[in-house]
Coordinates of all heavy atoms in Angstrom, one line a residue:
S42 N -81.7 -63.0 -92.7 CA -80.5 -63.9 -92.9 C -80.9 -65.3 -92.8 O -80.5 -66.0 -93.7 CB -79.4 -63.5 -91.8 OG -78.3 -64.2 -92.0
L43 N -81.6 -65.7 -91.9 CA -82.0 -67.1 -91.7 C -82.8 -67.6 -93.0 O -82.6 -68.7 -93.5 CB -82.8 -67.4 -90.4 CG -82.0 -67.2 -89.1 CD1 -82.9 -67.3 -88.0 CD2 -80.8 -68.2 -89.1
Q44 N -83.9 -66.8 -93.4 CA -84.6 -67.1 -94.5 C -83.9 -67.3 -95.7 O -84.0 -68.2 -96.5 CB -85.8 -66.2 -94.5 CG -86.9 -66.7 -95.5 CD -87.5 -67.9 -95.2 OE1 -87.9 -68.2 -94.0 NE2 -87.7 -68.9 -96.1
T45 N -83.2 -66.2 -95.9 CA -82.3 -66.2 -97.1 C -81.2 -67.3 -97.1 O -81.1 -68.0 -98.2 CB -81.5 -64.9 -97.3 OG1 -82.4 -63.7 -97.1 CG2 -80.8 -64.7 -98.5
G46 N -80.6 -67.5 -96.1 CA -79.7 -68.7 -96.0 C -80.3 -70.0 -96.3 O -79.7 -70.8 -97.0
N47 N -81.5 -70.3 -95.8 CA -82.4 -71.6 -96.2 C -82.5 -71.7 -97.6 O -82.4 -72.7 -98.2 CB -83.5 -71.7 -95.4 CG -83.3 -71.9 -93.8 OD1 -82.2 -72.5 -93.5 ND2 -84.1 -71.4 -92.9
L48 N -83.1 -70.5 -98.2 CA -83.3 -70.6 -99.5 C -82.1 -70.8 -100.5 O -82.2 -71.6 -101.5 CB -84.0 -69.2 -100.0 CG -85.4 -69.1 -99.4 CD1 -85.9 -67.6 -99.9 CD2 -86.4 -70.2 -99.9
R50 N -79.3 -72.2 -99.5 CA -78.7 -73.5 -99.3 C -79.5 -74.6 -100.2 O -79.0 -75.5 -100.6 CB -79.0 -73.8 -97.9 CG -78.2 -75.3 -97.6 CD -78.3 -75.5 -96.0 NE -77.3 -74.7 -95.4 CZ -77.7 -73.6 -94.6 NH1 -79.0 -73.4 -94.5 NH2 -76.9 -72.9 -94.0
T58 N -74.6 -66.5 -99.5 CA -75.5 -66.2 -98.3 C -75.4 -64.8 -97.8 O -76.2 -64.0 -97.7 CB -75.3 -67.2 -97.2 OG1 -75.5 -68.5 -97.7 CG2 -76.2 -67.0 -96.0
S62 N -78.1 -61.7 -98.1 CA -78.6 -61.2 -96.9 C -78.4 -59.6 -96.8 O -79.2 -58.9 -96.4 CB -77.9 -61.8 -95.7 OG -78.3 -63.2 -95.7
G141 N -77.6 -60.4 -88.8 CA -77.6 -61.5 -89.8 C -76.3 -62.2 -89.8 O -76.3 -63.5 -89.9
V143 N -74.2 -62.7 -87.3 CA -74.1 -63.6 -86.2 C -74.9 -64.8 -86.2 O -74.5 -66.0 -85.8 CB -74.5 -62.7 -84.9 CG1 -74.6 -63.7 -83.6 CG2 -73.4 -61.6 -84.6
F144 N -76.3 -64.6 -86.6 CA -77.2 -65.6 -86.7 C -76.8 -66.7 -87.8 O -77.0 -67.9 -87.7 CB -78.6 -65.1 -87.0 CG -79.3 -64.8 -85.6 CD1 -79.2 -63.4 -85.1 CD2 -80.1 -65.6 -84.9 CE1 -79.8 -63.1 -84.0 CE2 -80.7 -65.2 -83.8 CZ -80.5 -64.0 -83.2
N145 N -76.2 -66.2 -88.9 CA -75.7 -67.2 -89.9 C -74.6 -67.9 -89.5 O -74.6 -69.2 -89.8 CB -75.3 -66.3 -91.2 CG -74.9 -67.1 -92.3 OD1 -73.5 -67.3 -92.5 ND2 -75.7 -67.8 -93.0
V146 N -73.6 -67.5 -88.9 CA -72.5 -68.1 -88.4 C -72.9 -69.1 -87.2 O -72.5 -70.3 -87.2 CB -71.4 -67.2 -87.9 CG1 -70.3 -68.0 -87.3 CG2 -70.9 -66.3 -89.0
I147 N -73.7 -68.6 -86.3 CA -74.0 -69.5 -85.1 C -75.3 -70.4 -85.3 O -75.0 -71.6 -85.1 CB -74.5 -68.6 -84.0 CG1 -73.3 -67.6 -83.5 CG2 -74.9 -69.4 -82.7 CD1 -73.5 -66.7 -82.4
A148 N -76.3 -70.0 -86.0 CA -77.4 -70.8 -86.1 C -77.4 -71.7 -87.3 O -77.9 -72.8 -87.4 CB -78.7 -69.9 -86.2
Q149 N -76.6 -71.3 -88.4 CA -76.8 -71.9 -89.6 C -75.4 -72.6 -89.9 O -75.2 -73.3 -91.0 CB -77.1 -71.0 -90.8 CG -78.6 -70.6 -90.6 CD -79.0 -69.7 -91.9 OE1 -78.3 -68.9 -92.2 NE2 -80.2 -70.0 -92.4
G150 N -74.4 -72.4 -89.1 CA -73.1 -73.0 -89.4 C -72.2 -72.5 -90.5 O -71.4 -73.2 -91.0
G151 N -72.6 -71.1 -90.8 CA -71.8 -70.5 -91.9 C -70.4 -70.1 -91.4 O -70.1 -70.2 -90.3

Side-chain angles (χ1 to χ4, degrees):
S42 178
L43 293 173
Q44 188 64 43
T45 305
N47 288 332
L48 292 175
R50 186 176 291 108
T58 299
S62 299
V143 172
F144 277 86
N145 176 261
V146 173
I147 295 177
Q149 295 182 311

